Amino acid sequence: MLVKDILINQKNNNKIAIECGDNAISYKEIFNLVEMNCKCLSYMENQPKNIGIYLPNSIEYCIGYFTISLLDRVIVPIEIQAKHLQIENMIEYCELRLIITNSQYKTKLKNLLAGSSYKVTIFNLDDKTLEYIGKNEFVKISKGCSEEFEEDDVAIMLHTSGTTSNPKRVMLTHENLINNIKSNIEALKLNRNDKTLICLPMFFGYCNTSQFLTSFYLGASIVILDSIFIPEKFLKIVETKRCTNTTCVPSMLLLLLSFKNQNKYDISTLKYLCFGGGAMPIDKLRRLLVRYPSIGFIQTYGQTEASPRITCLMPEDSLRKLGSVGKAIPNVSVRIIDSKGEDVKIGEIGEIVVQGKNVMKGYYKRHEDTLKVKKNGWLYTGDLAKFDEEGYIYLTGRKKNVIISGGLNIYPEEIEEILMNHIKVKDVCVISESHDLLGEVPIAKVVLSDNVQSITEYELIKYCSEHLENHKVPCKITFFKELERTLTGKIKRSQVENIV
């Protein structure tokens, strides 16, 4: 099965597929529009293998997405907040000659690419026109298109780590995505009567598979949040649209926790709220579960390289196994190994490795990087964790983030969790600083909560010393206005600006 078959299977379905703001569209209408786009683009000469899509969360994004898939081409989402240099490097790296957008974002894209080194064709979904921008030459394409797509061919290339000048994309095949969709459905027992509320960027692997494609596969319904995440609006949409599930990141959950008027809304239809993509302080998670008892909170763990979902902790275990990311979802195998590649004992920390048909094909044009993480059929995640006596997994940090101070391992995430439990802390990043005697020591970069009048470095260090072993207490705390994040929402540990 290919990704395009997900839509083809629903082509005669008159059910509403997507609602966004005041607009709604059925599966049948989406298919007809996608088919029309494909006919328009079929006349294009030298149709490229990889096609970009430059649109925000919207009905148009879904139409552009399946247009590329139905053309048997590779989908390359472009984040609409990306700057000129990021997009230009992406065009070169991903060999983009064609980008799909609409009238509104065409203007923005043209301005961003004014004076670009490469010629690019823009396809406007609104009027079906093609327009050329940039210089006279298209980027060179290293490999031509296949006549037929197979299940092990690449379906989409999603952004992961990598700098502006050296981007990196994860190649996920049709087989990867379809298998993760099936595993997700089996784990959460989803069906065609479900209605998911999309709050995260649709170019996130998290949203792409577990919400967008999963819903289309089932013939279920999607509601797209057409604004930034605000608790009042989120709860109002759940109430009025009768949403049954959604997916959030911890920062959204912290906003829900601080919201005091949740009882004004009837959110009884919301069976599941999945969350992941970052650390959620255990104390605040416990309070959230108490505040919203009708919602089944599901802590998940995944990586873009795994399509992305790997594990989940179901609601019945949410308090009993607080802080755990649960167990592997169906058809995914997880081990925790030591530096010799041997399974660790219960309670010992090691690296998570994953096996299954959900594991990526590799990094686009990054063969050496691929070999570092795909070994003997296993994906080496770089994430550190431990098993408890019942086989539940607890994350402890990232392998590359470990700070070794005086021969002792310190996991920044542990310190970050403690600081995030402080009522006056909004965001935090712990990194290492060189030390003449100990080699390196932990220091913390902190963003204070809104409306906090004042708190001193001494007060936060004292707070840490009350909850952490001495060698884990940050030697220095610096206050920031904000912490810079990657396109996928993770803090850039090596690049933190805007000091207060």
Side-chain angles (χ1 to χ4, degrees):
M1 184 177 185
L2 306 181
V3 168
K4 68 179 181 181
D5 295 322
I6 294 174
L7 180 61
I8 291 171
N9 290 343
Q10 305 293 341
K11 67 180 182 180
N12 295 315
N13 190 345
N14 287 308
K15 179 179 179 179
I16 294 298
I18 308 169
E19 296 176 73
C20 185
D22 296 328
N23 300 313
I25 191 169
S26 70
Y27 281 104
K28 186 174 182 178
E29 289 171 317
I30 291 174
F31 179 81
N32 290 337
L33 287 169
V34 166
E35 197 171 43
M36 189 185 306
N37 293 335
C38 290
K39 287 178 181 177
C40 293
L41 287 168
S42 65
Y43 297 108
M44 181 180 176
E45 294 182 3
N46 302 316
Q47 202 175 86
K49 178 182 66 173
N50 305 329
I51 300 178
I53 177 169
Y54 184 74
L55 287 165
N57 284 12
S58 58
I59 291 172
E60 289 82 1
Y61 177 92
C62 304
I63 291 169
Y65 186 104
F66 277 108
T67 296
I68 300 170
S69 188
L70 210 65
L71 285 168
D72 285 334
R73 297 297 180 259
V74 178
I75 302 159
V76 183
I78 303 171
E79 211 273 316
I80 59 168
Q81 300 303 326
K83 306 300 182 185
H84 165 78
L85 186 59
Q86 290 172 307
I87 296 179
E88 182 152 6
N89 287 332
M90 205 178 301
I91 288 170
E92 181 177 17
Y93 168 53
C94 295
E95 302 174 1
L96 298 180
R97 291 186 174 187
L98 173 63
I99 298 175
I100 295 177
T101 187
N102 63 8
S103 298
Q104 180 183 353
Y105 285 89
K106 182 180 80 169
T107 302
K108 181 179 180 181
L109 186 59
K110 286 175 67 177
N111 291 335
L112 280 169
L113 294 178
S116 174
S117 303
Y118 301 103
K119 182 179 179 180
V120 179
T121 306
I122 297 177
F123 179 68
N124 187 341
L125 289 172
D126 294 334
D127 58 17
K128 315 302 179 191
T129 58
L130 291 169
E131 184 174 344
Y132 300 97
I133 60 172
K135 297 291 179 68
N136 295 324
E137 297 293 328
F138 287 113
V139 65
K140 291 183 179 179
I141 294 178
S142 58
K143 187 178 180 181
C145 297
S146 302
E147 290 299 319
E148 294 183 7
F149 261 29
E150 304 292 341
E151 289 186 353
D152 63 349
D153 284 323
V154 179
I156 192 169
M157 296 199 298
L158 294 176
H159 179 87
T160 183
S161 59
T163 62
T164 295
S165 60
N166 187 31
K168 188 161 67 174
R169 291 267 172 168
V170 172
M171 298 186 292
L172 297 178
T173 67
H174 297 268
E175 182 179 51
N176 292 155
L177 295 172
I178 299 300
N179 276 276
N180 208 235
I181 289 167
K182 291 179 178 178
S183 296
N184 183 48
I185 291 169
E186 186 177 344
L188 272 59
K189 298 178 174 59
L190 301 172
N191 61 63
R192 67 183 307 275
N193 296 318
D194 279 302
K195 182 181 283 190
T196 190
L197 174 57
I198 289 182
C199 306
L200 299 174
M202 294 176 74
F203 65 85
F204 275 20
Y206 204 7
C207 183
N208 177 75
T209 310
S210 63
Q211 289 191 276
F212 173 37
L213 292 181
T214 291
S215 292
F216 267 63
Y217 183 93
L218 288 167
S221 297
I222 291 172
V223 178
I224 297 175
L225 179 67
D226 60 342
S227 69
I228 61 171
F229 185 92
I230 301 170
E232 297 97 318
K233 183 159 188 178
F234 169 81
L235 295 171
K236 184 66 176 176
I237 290 177
V238 170
E239 178 183 57
T240 57
K241 300 296 184 181
R242 313 305 288 163
C243 299
T244 64
N245 65 83
T246 190
T247 301
C248 296
V249 292
S251 58
M252 294 173 177
L253 299 189
L254 294 175
L255 289 173
L256 282 176
L257 181 61
S258 64
F259 185 63
K260 305 299 182 184
N261 298 316
Q262 73 275 6
N263 291 329
K264 288 172 54 180
Y265 303 93
D266 177 8
I267 55 173
S268 57
T269 59
L270 191 60
K271 295 186 298 182
Y272 295 147
L273 190 158
C274 299
F275 67 96
M280 179 66 188
I282 291 178
D283 181 59
K284 292 180 180 178
L285 176 57
R286 182 184 289 108
R287 287 161 52 197
L288 190 75
L289 295 175
V290 172
R291 180 164 293 179
Y292 294 90
S294 67
I295 300 175
F297 287 90
I298 300 175
Q299 184 153 4
T300 67
Y301 163 67
Q303 279 196 344
T304 306
E305 290 87 342
S307 296
R309 188 157 289 174
I310 297 171
T311 75
C312 67
L313 180 74
M314 296 304 289
E316 58 266 26
D317 292 319
S318 58
L319 281 171
R320 188 174 73 91
K321 296 292 183 179
L322 196 67
S324 169
V325 294
K327 295 182 176 182
I329 61 175
N331 304 311
V332 176
S333 299
V334 173
R335 295 169 58 208
I336 300 178
I337 61 172
D338 60 22
S339 58
K340 297 178 181 178
E342 298 176 357
D343 293 320
V344 299
K345 297 177 181 177
I346 292 172
E348 290 183 355
I349 294 173
E351 181 178 2
I352 294 178
V353 293
V354 178
Q355 189 179 64
K357 291 182 178 180
N358 59 312
V359 172
M360 67 170 182
K361 191 163 192 170
Y363 297 118
Y364 187 57
K365 295 182 182 176
R366 301 280 190 266
H367 183 63
E368 293 301 318
D369 289 336
T370 301
L371 292 178
K372 290 176 183 177
V373 299
K374 283 187 71 176
K375 306 173 187 177
N376 301 317
W378 291 85
L379 172 68
Y380 283 62
T381 66
D383 289 319
L384 299 174
K386 59 186 178 182
F387 281 121
D388 71 5
E389 64 284 348
E390 294 182 61
Y392 287 80
I393 299 168
Y394 292 77
L395 299 179
T396 58
R398 285 286 293 168
K399 190 175 180 180
K400 65 181 180 182
N401 296 338
V402 173
I403 299 168
I404 303 176
S405 182
L408 299 173
N409 286 354
I410 299 172
Y411 303 104
E413 292 84 356
E414 181 182 4
I415 305 171
E416 290 166 357
E417 182 179 328
I418 294 299
L419 281 167
M420 281 295 291
N421 278 327
H422 195 289
I423 193 169
K424 293 185 177 182
V425 173
K426 179 180 180 180
D427 211 353
V428 62
C429 174
V430 173
I431 60 174
S432 67
E433 184 174 83
S434 297
H435 190 277
D436 291 341
L437 179 63
L438 299 174
E440 54 184 0
V441 292
I443 64 170
K445 301 175 186 293
V446 168
V447 177
L448 296 178
S449 300
D450 299 335
N451 303 319
V452 169
Q453 298 300 315
S454 65
I455 188 171
T456 66
E457 177 186 11
Y458 171 77
E459 287 177 88
L460 283 182
I461 289 177
K462 184 174 183 294
Y463 174 78
C464 288
S465 68
E466 294 170 355
H467 297 85
L468 292 165
E469 299 162 79
N470 289 341
H471 68 282
K472 297 178 181 177
V473 175
C475 295
K476 181 170 67 178
I477 291 178
T478 310
F479 296 101
F480 287 71
K481 290 180 181 177
E482 62 181 67
L483 302 179
E484 189 177 355
R485 294 179 179 272
T486 67
L487 289 178
T488 53
K490 294 183 173 62
I491 290 173
K492 292 184 178 180
R493 291 183 180 271
S494 59
Q495 300 177 35
V496 185
E497 301 175 356
N498 303 319
I499 302 178
V500 174

